[in-house]
Amino acid sequence: MIKRSVLLGLGIVSLLLGMAGIVLPLLPTVPFVLLAGFCFARSSPELHRWLHQHPWFAQALCDWHQQRGLRLPLKRRALVMTIASFSLSIWLVSVLWLKLFLAIICLILVAFLWRLPVVANAGKSSVYDPE
């Protein structure tokens, strides 16, 4: 019961951070939404189903679950936004060690995104059914 509550809370916080990441340059959206999906799968079938049917997230989650990849436009957007947001952050920060830390995190995230497979864009594919 406690584990379920913790996962539900973590999933909600993760989803809120992911949604904030849509408009805030420092927060990535995709990792937080994937984490929310993971947490909801283990804590709330209703929220898991809702997330997988949401117009903003359904296709990307479906692609991730079925093929462990992203469609090319989403992958490009994620790479561009990651590089842009980290570049802005590195430029704004005045502490050298923090600039280096941000640069290392950026390189790790870009390498992760770069290595993700590209899913063929065959129009609107079926939505992932978590059950």
Side-chain angles (χ1 to χ4, degrees), residues 22-78:
I22 294 171
V23 294
L24 296 176
L26 278 178
L27 289 174
T29 300
V30 174
F32 284 119
V33 173
L34 291 175
L35 178 60
F38 172 84
C39 292
F40 291 157
R42 285 147 185 81
S43 64
S44 172
E46 298 84 16
L47 286 174
H48 189 244
R49 193 174 311 104
W50 171 83
L51 186 63
H52 281 83
Q53 294 173 349
H54 193 279
W56 292 355
F57 309 121
Q59 191 61 59
L61 287 171
C62 177
D63 292 341
W64 179 257
H65 282 287
Q66 291 178 348
Q67 301 178 42
R68 289 288 189 241
L70 301 172
R71 292 181 187 231
L72 188 56
L74 179 59
K75 185 174 178 176
R76 283 184 183 155
R77 194 171 352 155

Side-chain angles (χ1 to χ4, degrees), residues 11 15 27 46 62 67 69 72 85 92 95 110 124 127 130:
L15 181 60
L27 289 174
E46 298 84 16
C62 177
Q67 301 178 42
L72 188 56
S85 65
L92 290 175
V95 181
V110 165
K124 297 263 185 186
V127 174

Side-chain angles (χ1 to χ4, degrees), residues 6-18 36 39-40 47:
V6 169
L7 285 172
L8 181 61
L10 181 61
I12 290 170
V13 169
S14 180
L15 181 60
L16 291 173
L17 288 171
C39 292
F40 291 157
L47 286 174

Side-chain angles (χ1 to χ4, degrees), residues 93-114:
V93 170
S94 60
V95 181
L96 181 61
W97 71 266
L98 193 52
K99 286 179 184 263
L100 291 173
F101 178 73
L102 287 170
I104 290 168
I105 297 298
C106 179
L107 288 174
I108 291 169
L109 187 53
V110 165
F112 170 77
L113 289 170
W114 188 267

